[in-house]
Amino acid sequence: MDAGPKTKATIDDEPDPNRIIRHEGKDYKSLKEGLARILIPAKSVNPKAAKAGKGNVEKVFYNPVQQFNRDLSVLAIRAFGEEHLAQKQKQLRSKTKRKHQRRKDRSNSDKDGTNNGVALEGTNHKTTSLQPGVKAAETTGEPERSKHDSTTGAPYQQGVTQRIDAMNENEGVHEEQADEVNGRKPLTRTNEDASEDSRHSATQQPTQQGLKRKSDALNDVEEQEERDAKKFRTHTAESPSKQPPPEPPEPPEPPEPIEADVEEGKPEGELTVDSNATNSKPENPVPGPLKEDGLERGETTSTLTTKSIPSPNSRLKILDSLSASGLRALRYAKELPFKTSVTANDLSADATKSIAANVRYNKLESHIAPKTGNAQSYMYSYSDESDANKYNVIDIDPYGTAVPFLDAALQAISDGGMLCVSCTDAGVWASTGYPEKAFSLYGGSPVKGAHSHEVGLRLIIHSIATAAARYSLAIEPLLCLSVDFYARVFVKVRKSPAEVKFLAGKTIMMHNCDSGCGAWSIQPLGRSNGFEARDGTTAYKFHLPLGPTAGPMCDHCGFKTHLGGPMYGGPLHNTTFIRKILGYLPVLEKDTYGTLDRMKGVLSTILEEASIDQSGKTQDVKFTTEGTPTVPSDPASVAQSPFYINPSNLASVVRSRCPSDAKIKGAIRHAGFKAVRSHTKPSAIRTTAPWDFLWEMMRQWVQQHAPIKPNALKPTTAGYKIMYENISDEKESSTNTEEDHSITQANEIDNSGKKIRKLGDWEMKFDERLGQDASTEKLVRYQLNPEANWGPMQRAKV
């Protein structure tokens, strides 16, 4: 039976995946990912697929292959956001502590006879007036009187009192009251409050005690803001001329510290007061599902907000710059366990209309702001904004390269914020098909070889680092991946001209033997030498790089090499940040995070991979708690092993049977080097062993376990030169030392009767047990093709 219009739901109904949603004359169906739902056309046909006879295939409103990207992004932003808000809370507590300490110091100084910089009668020492709007003056017994003070010979406080008394008698109203009656913004009333206290206590207390109380009122503005607000409301309700004389005020008590939300868009220092909640404190945010009652987590109906005081309940401002359907923005607002303010921007008005419909469908109108506009122009508009008004997280996930948006994103990111960048143009940064395009976009040349994807990943980070360095911004890679058909990087950006100086030392060129054996060598573009300063800290001197570290020909096979880069040569991951994300996984639901198993496998592999750049032995994966702060990496640190090797490529060069990964890693570890797997490819191994050792390992493998067939290697091949020939007799005679592990002739003879080269005196032991991973848990470390011909698919068309 055909379903009629009465069975169709509206966009305001509760989400039901089994019902068709009717909205603005079009039919949609609901699709769920995470805790968010999006509307996709009920009858969406890909013309190419329909023509090929594949039936009713949807357009690219939703690509399930990138769910891993979105799941990981949510957890990465959560790990960053929790620490970011915790730092704000720490700053608030520190500021409150300092404020109470200042009050305590003022109180102690009053008891000792020093009145906060206001000289009392009979004193004769230099003071500086702290009163706002009054020129500081050095006095000897008598402070400088205001030019409006007509009383001669009177102390400063007495002059203030007489001026205000005269103004009240002549005008009958305070200056601030008149401003409020006339519609102007009232000014902060500090002198008047102090003078009122002085008038009504002059006949009851000694002059010195009155001066102390008046000085406290003059210098502690924060203590009087609430009383000011109440008095302003009273003055507007009653006629100033008919007000009864005020009662003598009681000595003020120290106010409780106010934890307040930062209200976006307010000028710094402006206070927004709710008349029903003068002294209320907002509750702490409650982690968990988002309440759909119009209030955000941690909000109450009455809040006291001030932008001058950071709050632990502040929103994390997130920009989804290229939002498309708004799925990322929806998931950020739904799944992050703290308050967020998300902007979903897209250039297409139709896309923004779709975003608004999805926001309405998920009941998130108060959390997500759809915006239509050019992402670059929008982010550049924040260049003149204060740091408090900028975004804490900016997500850039385009079709193709993200480079055109990087400079603009750096203008809109706050100090200490995080950039989430995706690049899907792997054909440019991970291959040599378009070297001119790669250089124009990323500022470096790609390389040819099994390690090309990691080179591309470092080219992307290099483009971010150089763009940030122009504005004295330093970046720290927190998590960088080259998976599937794209690269995804999470980098922290902070204002630090000192850290920017280390960028040259972390930028490298690569001499790559792509036509021969596949070996490479690294050339840094700067040097950072640390030394101990007089105060015991580490200081650095920066120098120009030395000459070329390699010649035009490969040292191992004699084939010509090609240059790659410049590219980023520092560590790609922050282990504390990764452990924090891994700590979330055990309590997450697989229904919400469909790629939970893969995230655990990939992050565990990356954690092992990142350990190679740390001192000590590789340890097993251990998770951390959510509250552990992320330890920043050393700004001078350089990756010990920037690229990985592929055992099958090594075996193909010498025409031998390929050893297992465990045997390769066992031989490397037995010699004292590190060896771990890489997240990029299943057979990739990252190691600190030099290429001299790797080729000696393969020669020993051929001799001990896998002899090659006679005449399998031709004299013109790279494998022949590696197995049998000395590349440079001059090098052999001049550098034949045990330290350099130089090339020497051996007595071993293979099946063809040729002498096999021997490099140094390493003892090769292919210990498969030593090469096994410490963790025996079966993990989904690499993506399997979920469907035929999967990939980035077509660009969405609305």
Side-chain angles (χ1 to χ4, degrees), residues 379-412:
M379 291 186 289
Y380 272 126
S381 66
Y382 279 82
S383 60
D384 295 332
E385 293 287 339
S386 64
D387 191 74
N389 291 333
K390 294 184 177 182
Y391 287 97
N392 307 119
V393 177
I394 296 181
D395 195 332
I396 307 174
D397 184 37
Y399 273 88
T401 181
V403 170
F405 305 96
L406 295 180
D407 190 84
L410 293 169
Q411 309 300 317

Side-chain angles (χ1 to χ4, degrees), residues 104-303:
K104 185 177 180 180
D105 294 342
R106 287 198 299 267
S107 177
N108 294 337
S109 64
D110 289 345
K111 294 178 180 179
D112 296 337
T114 58
N115 195 24
N116 263 343
V118 179
L120 303 179
E121 292 186 73
T123 60
N124 187 21
H125 52 268
K126 299 171 85 172
T127 61
T128 303
S129 174
L130 302 178
Q131 175 65 21
V134 179
K135 180 180 179 181
E138 294 184 354
T139 65
T140 56
E142 178 179 334
E144 180 183 2
R145 294 184 299 273
S146 172
K147 62 182 180 180
H148 301 292
D149 189 2
S150 58
T151 306
T152 59
Y156 172 75
Q157 295 288 351
Q158 185 178 357
V160 172
T161 303
Q162 293 181 358
R163 290 198 306 273
I164 297 178
D165 288 341
M167 181 177 63
N168 291 336
E169 292 176 1
N170 297 331
E171 301 180 13
V173 63
H174 294 299
E175 182 181 356
E176 285 78 4
Q177 299 173 13
D179 288 342
E180 188 170 357
V181 171
N182 295 331
R184 295 191 298 270
K185 183 178 179 180
L187 301 176
T188 304
R189 301 170 64 249
T190 57
N191 293 346
E192 286 76 3
D193 288 345
S195 61
E196 287 182 17
D197 295 345
S198 177
R199 282 201 309 274
H200 296 292
S201 60
T203 59
Q204 301 176 9
Q205 299 180 358
T207 303
Q208 183 171 347
Q209 295 180 358
L211 288 174
K212 290 181 181 179
R213 186 172 65 253
K214 286 180 286 186
S215 177
D216 289 339
L218 287 167
N219 292 283
D220 197 359
V221 178
E222 299 93 343
E223 202 171 277
Q224 300 182 17
E225 287 178 339
E226 296 181 6
R227 294 190 292 125
D228 289 343
K230 293 180 181 179
K231 291 180 181 180
F232 291 155
R233 290 193 294 270
T234 303
H235 291 322
T236 54
E238 300 179 6
S239 172
S241 59
K242 297 181 180 181
Q243 290 185 35
E247 296 293 331
E250 297 180 359
E253 298 180 358
E256 295 292 331
I258 299 175
E259 297 183 359
D261 286 348
V262 175
E263 186 169 346
E264 302 297 339
K266 290 284 186 181
E268 186 169 352
E270 183 171 337
L271 194 67
T272 303
V273 182
D274 191 314
S275 59
N276 298 324
T278 306
N279 293 320
S280 63
K281 296 182 181 180
E283 300 175 357
N284 293 329
V286 180
L290 186 66
K291 298 180 180 180
E292 299 179 354
D293 55 0
L295 293 177
E296 300 173 348
R297 300 184 197 87
E299 275 193 335
T300 58
T301 54
S302 59
T303 56

Side-chain angles (χ1 to χ4, degrees), residues 68-76 479 481 490 581 599 603:
F68 172 78
N69 186 335
R70 291 184 286 266
D71 287 349
L72 185 61
S73 298
V74 173
L75 298 183
L479 176 62
L481 306 93
F490 301 89
I581 300 177
M599 281 195 295
L603 292 175

